Amino acid sequence: MKTLLRRLLLLLPTSLALFTTGPWSSLSAAVIDAAAVGNPLAVTLADQAAMTRWRALFDPEPAWISRQAAFLSMRVPDFAPTLFAARLLYAGEPWTRRDAGAASTSDRRWAATDRDTRAAVLREMRWMHEPALAPVLAQFIGSSKEPDLLRQALVGLWQLDPVSVPALALRLADPRQSDRLPGAAVAGCRQMALLLLIDLGGFDDARTRSAMSWAFLQTSGGERTRALSLLPRGAAPDLLKPALLRLNWERREKVLDEEGHAALVIACTRLGATLDRDTATALMDITVAGDSDIAAAAASALAANLGWSENVDLVPLLTRISSTAPGSWERHALMNVLMRLRPDAVAGVIAPDSPWADLAKHRARLDRWSWQEYVK
């Protein structure tokens, strides 16, 4: 084993030299041919094998498209950045149609093929680490509406110019931006960009907060639910509070759909240990009047902090507890709130031999002890 390691170490300088003196070395000084990018059909390559692979990138039914792109990287390394830039920005039709009689079906097939081809091209671009491709990627990001392709392009651009990526991601994630990009009109693009902003800047970054504000307050359905699920417990309470209040309003107005239902449960679980009175009032409203799952989630959030609990009307809570099935998870969540608010009121809604009765007595003794210690 030691002999093998010594041999590998001896070969290492030679292996590294391949990347500094081989075909990859010329890429650092590559220049994108604007004429070829503007008119890819006019590109001609002296190497016929490379020309065949180049034309394959425009075939409506290509075979081994990733292999064709990789072949171009190896065969014509000096010109490959231009070829990939031209193919990435190409917005026309395939060069040959094999089924011209079925235009609509062919268009759909070409759209799927075009996405796969651009994905292969973007993968090759990331391997190149070529600075000259940065403006090409930025131009593509400024026009595409495909979430998967945009994600790959943003990752590739981040490798070359990380400073520019957060601003582009915000223009995708928040349609309220005056310089928003076309992809901002697509929910999948906005979700992808929000996730990227969180990864790059965290939840306290101004760009992330702007994108989260849009997702929490201006969207609905799965986009809002997904955005709320990304938030850690206790993070961004000033953004989470209006989202929770809006969701509760939708519940009260009976316009809360299934996704909104899930979003409300998630919002309750993301609240921190500090609640202001508006948030606590909304949670108590959900606890006493919401469906079982959201009532339990709201009750759990309430039980985590009782700084809001002065002068709370217990009648609706006691009524809700009395109407729930004994031993159910919903009843346990409601009893947890009552236990924290008024341990002496527990005896009125449970059997004397219930474990909740013993817990309530213990809680009352703890409260008396803490008060006696305080006044000493």
Side-chain angles (χ1 to χ4, degrees):
M1 178 62 71
K2 292 183 179 179
T3 302
L4 178 60
L5 288 175
R6 283 197 295 268
R7 290 179 179 178
L8 289 175
L9 290 174
L10 290 174
L11 289 174
L12 184 58
T14 304
S15 301
L16 292 176
L18 293 176
F19 290 92
T20 57
T21 60
W24 294 275
S25 61
S26 61
L27 294 180
S28 60
V31 176
I32 304 300
D33 187 341
V37 174
N39 186 15
L41 278 72
V43 171
T44 57
L45 301 173
D47 189 320
Q48 291 303 310
M51 192 65 191
T52 300
R53 269 65 174 189
W54 167 242
R55 290 186 175 278
L57 298 184
F58 300 86
D59 195 313
E61 297 179 0
W64 293 88
I65 196 64
S66 296
R67 185 175 179 179
Q68 314 293 7
F71 182 91
L72 289 172
S73 293
M74 298 294 297
R75 192 76 168 211
V76 286
D78 293 335
F79 202 56
T82 293
L83 296 178
F84 292 146
R87 183 59 187 88
L88 182 66
L89 300 178
Y90 180 72
E93 297 183 348
W95 288 1
T96 57
R97 285 187 177 273
R98 299 180 181 180
D99 52 346
S104 61
T105 303
S106 181
D107 289 342
R108 291 193 297 270
R109 184 182 298 117
W110 168 245
T113 297
D114 189 42
R115 284 193 297 271
D116 292 342
T117 302
R118 292 184 194 223
V121 166
L122 285 168
R123 284 193 295 271
E124 289 300 317
M125 284 182 167
R126 290 199 300 276
W127 280 105
M128 288 179 170
H129 295 280
E130 174 51 63
L133 290 172
V136 174
L137 292 169
Q139 182 177 345
F140 176 73
I141 293 168
S143 61
S144 177
K145 294 183 179 181
E146 295 287 344
D148 291 338
L149 296 181
L150 280 171
R151 181 176 60 252
Q152 293 188 55
L154 284 165
V155 171
L157 183 59
W158 182 81
Q159 292 177 331
L160 304 174
D161 184 17
V163 176
S164 66
V165 171
L168 288 171
L170 177 60
R171 294 166 63 188
L172 286 169
D174 188 352
R176 295 170 298 186
Q177 301 296 312
S178 59
D179 56 350
R180 61 186 175 275
L181 298 178
V186 180
C189 296
R190 296 194 297 267
Q191 294 175 29
M192 176 275 301
L194 172 59
L195 186 59
L196 180 60
L197 286 170
I198 293 173
D199 288 340
L200 294 178
F203 292 95
D204 295 328
D205 182 77
R207 294 188 179 98
T208 304
R209 289 175 58 82
S210 178
M212 286 170 50
S213 173
W214 168 268
F216 289 175
L217 301 176
Q218 305 296 328
T219 68
S220 60
E223 183 175 1
R224 177 173 56 182
T225 306
R226 172 62 174 163
L228 287 168
S229 69
L230 297 174
L231 197 66
R233 184 176 182 271
D238 57 326
L239 296 179
L240 185 56
K241 173 184 174 179
L244 179 69
L245 296 180
R246 178 191 172 197
L247 285 163
N248 189 41
W249 177 85
E250 292 180 10
R251 181 193 64 81
R252 293 169 64 92
E253 295 295 319
K254 302 186 185 304
V255 296
L256 196 67
D257 59 10
E258 185 176 350
E259 281 289 348
H261 210 90
L264 184 50
V265 172
I266 292 173
C268 291
T269 64
R270 295 311 191 261
L271 290 168
T274 302
L275 302 176
D276 61 25
R277 180 155 294 278
D278 291 339
T279 305
T281 301
L283 289 173
M284 181 58 76
D285 182 33
I286 298 169
T287 298
V288 300
D291 293 340
S292 296
D293 49 354
I294 57 175
S300 298
L302 283 173
N305 182 282
L306 295 180
W308 49 271
S309 60
E310 298 84 358
N311 303 319
V312 173
D313 183 8
L314 292 182
V315 174
L317 180 60
L318 293 172
T319 303
R320 179 68 185 260
I321 292 175
S322 300
S323 65
T324 57
S328 66
W329 54 271
E330 178 189 355
R331 185 181 177 89
H332 288 317
L334 297 172
M335 288 293 296
N336 190 26
V337 177
L338 182 60
M339 181 71 65
R340 300 294 301 276
L341 284 172
R342 289 273 303 279
D344 58 306
V346 171
V349 292
I350 50 111
D353 58 347
S354 170
W356 282 106
D358 295 335
L359 185 58
K361 294 175 183 178
H362 179 67
R363 181 80 189 183
R365 288 194 296 269
L366 285 176
D367 290 343
R368 286 195 300 271
W369 175 83
S370 62
W371 174 253
Q372 290 169 0
E373 288 295 313
Y374 177 77
V375 298
K376 281 183 179 180

